[in-house]
Amino acid sequence: MSTKLSIYVDLDETLIHSIQGFGRNPGKRTPIPFKGAEKYHSLLRPASLEMLATLRNLGKVRMLTTATREYAKAHNEVFTLGFGENEIVAREDYTSRVQLAYGFVLEPTRRKSDPQAVLIDNLSPESENSRIKIEYLGIDESRYFRIREFSGKDPDCFEAELKSIFSDIRRIVAQTKARHHENDGPPHP
């Protein structure tokens, strides 16, 4: 049994910031290639790659986003975020649209898929998108780490937040390993 912690990281406003359309000045943003009519220009959050490298030393890192798979894959490729095909969990992988009288909402199609995981996201845990992710994973609030929203503006100093998050995740990793060690019991003769 693997003791490697699953660490899910949000994409938009956590790792990157995007603007849609041609009507706005993209500035220093990178164009993101798409097959459809939607056009995006995005910025990689400073220190995102370093954050992902540190997280990958602590556990198995996956992207969990309410964006589409095509959007997530395009950003992963352009910014070399390092997620493999099976490490991107996009909205079509875990949600469905539920029609209501006033519009639609997204609802998770699976629940409690990884209750021992942790999630790093910029949204409040009470937001609709966070609620869906929390229900999908089945995590409690102690495994939800909110990081400051990346708005694409300079400077973006979030090193202190990252140190705190890394420290908390290291604590969870140590607790998980200790639990697995206790469950192994004494060696058999």
Side-chain angles (χ1 to χ4, degrees):
M1 174 182 249
S2 173
T3 59
K4 207 157 194 178
L5 180 69
S6 294
I7 303 169
Y8 292 84
V9 181
D10 175 57
L11 178 61
D12 282 307
E13 284 78 46
T14 300
L15 296 175
I16 59 130
H17 186 269
S18 291
I19 57 173
Q20 184 179 7
F22 288 115
R24 298 169 68 183
N25 178 1
K28 297 184 257 180
R29 295 171 185 271
T30 303
I32 306 299
F34 272 97
K35 297 174 189 161
E38 294 179 335
K39 303 297 177 201
Y40 291 90
H41 289 83
S42 301
L43 282 175
L44 179 65
R45 182 179 209 153
S48 285
L49 299 179
E50 294 85 354
M51 176 180 78
L52 291 171
T54 300
L55 292 172
R56 286 182 173 115
N57 285 327
L58 297 173
K60 178 70 173 156
V61 180
R62 294 177 178 90
M63 180 193 303
L64 179 59
T65 180
T66 52
T68 65
R69 176 167 287 283
E70 180 185 5
Y71 176 93
K73 283 175 60 177
H75 282 86
N76 182 51
E77 290 172 20
V78 167
F79 292 119
T80 59
L81 299 175
F83 293 100
E85 181 76 26
N86 64 345
E87 295 172 334
I88 298 173
V89 183
R91 74 174 172 218
E92 58 267 36
D93 298 323
Y94 69 99
T95 65
S96 64
R97 289 170 64 135
V98 177
Q99 186 66 45
L100 302 173
Y102 57 85
F104 74 91
V105 295
L106 292 176
E107 286 295 327
T109 54
R110 295 184 1 215
R111 287 177 170 77
K112 298 185 179 181
S113 66
D114 200 350
Q116 298 305 310
V118 298
L119 173 60
I120 300 171
D121 202 325
N122 67 285
L123 296 173
S124 161
E126 293 82 27
S127 74
E128 181 181 355
N129 285 347
S130 294
R131 178 192 58 81
I132 291 166
K133 292 174 184 176
I134 290 167
E135 286 181 27
Y136 165 69
L137 293 173
I139 61 173
D140 63 40
E141 201 166 300
S142 70
R143 292 178 171 267
Y144 187 92
F145 296 96
R146 186 172 182 191
I147 196 163
R148 185 178 325 153
E149 177 180 334
F150 176 53
S151 64
K153 297 192 171 44
D154 291 327
D156 179 50
C157 300
F158 69 124
E159 288 83 8
E161 284 177 81
L162 282 180
K163 286 180 183 178
S164 174
I165 289 170
F166 294 156
S167 175
D168 289 342
I169 291 174
R170 284 185 182 99
R171 180 185 43 77
I172 291 171
V173 167
Q175 290 170 345
T176 302
K177 285 181 180 179
R179 263 197 312 276
H180 282 280
H181 183 69
E182 287 173 6
N183 293 338
D184 289 343
H188 296 288

